[in-house]
Amino acid sequence: MKVVGVTDGDSLTVLHDGRQDQLRLWGIDCPEKRQDFGTKAKQLTSTLVFSNVVEIEPVTKDRYGRIVAFVKVADSLRKHR
């Protein structure tokens, strides 16, 4: 799956089988965009995963229907920076 969007520090959009899926990072709670440090949290997550191919291990779904998962960017899958 490729990360095609970062909503905030703990929410991603991935492209999977030709459709976009919303993900939440398991075990991570970041401030929302309008809260203190929300922009910084989003920037850090973007730096780590945006445009990278990731592996996910689903854990559950949240109340909005998003997959909550462990997300891994393997060294061999990282884009060149």
Side-chain angles (χ1 to χ4, degrees):
M1 293 183 202
K2 183 175 183 174
V3 178
V4 295
V6 176
T7 307
D8 55 30
D10 55 10
S11 302
L12 314 172
T13 303
V14 295
L15 190 60
H16 177 67
D17 292 336
R19 71 173 198 268
Q20 292 185 2
D21 290 324
Q22 302 294 317
L23 297 180
R24 293 251 358 241
L25 301 177
W26 172 255
I28 303 293
D29 186 20
C30 289
E32 303 301 320
K33 288 182 279 190
R34 295 184 181 149
Q35 294 177 323
D36 290 344
F37 302 103
T39 300
K40 288 286 188 188
K42 180 181 176 180
Q43 288 171 345
L44 176 62
T45 301
S46 292
T47 298
L48 294 171
V49 299
F50 184 72
S51 290
N52 280 311
V53 175
V54 296
E55 298 173 14
I56 70 162
E57 183 180 330
V59 176
T60 189
K61 284 194 174 190
D62 68 8
R63 63 183 174 197
Y64 304 108
R66 294 176 293 190
I67 299 165
V68 180
F70 289 103
V71 176
K72 179 182 177 183
V73 180
D75 287 336
S76 62
L77 300 176
R78 288 189 188 169
K79 65 181 179 182
H80 298 289
R81 298 199 187 270

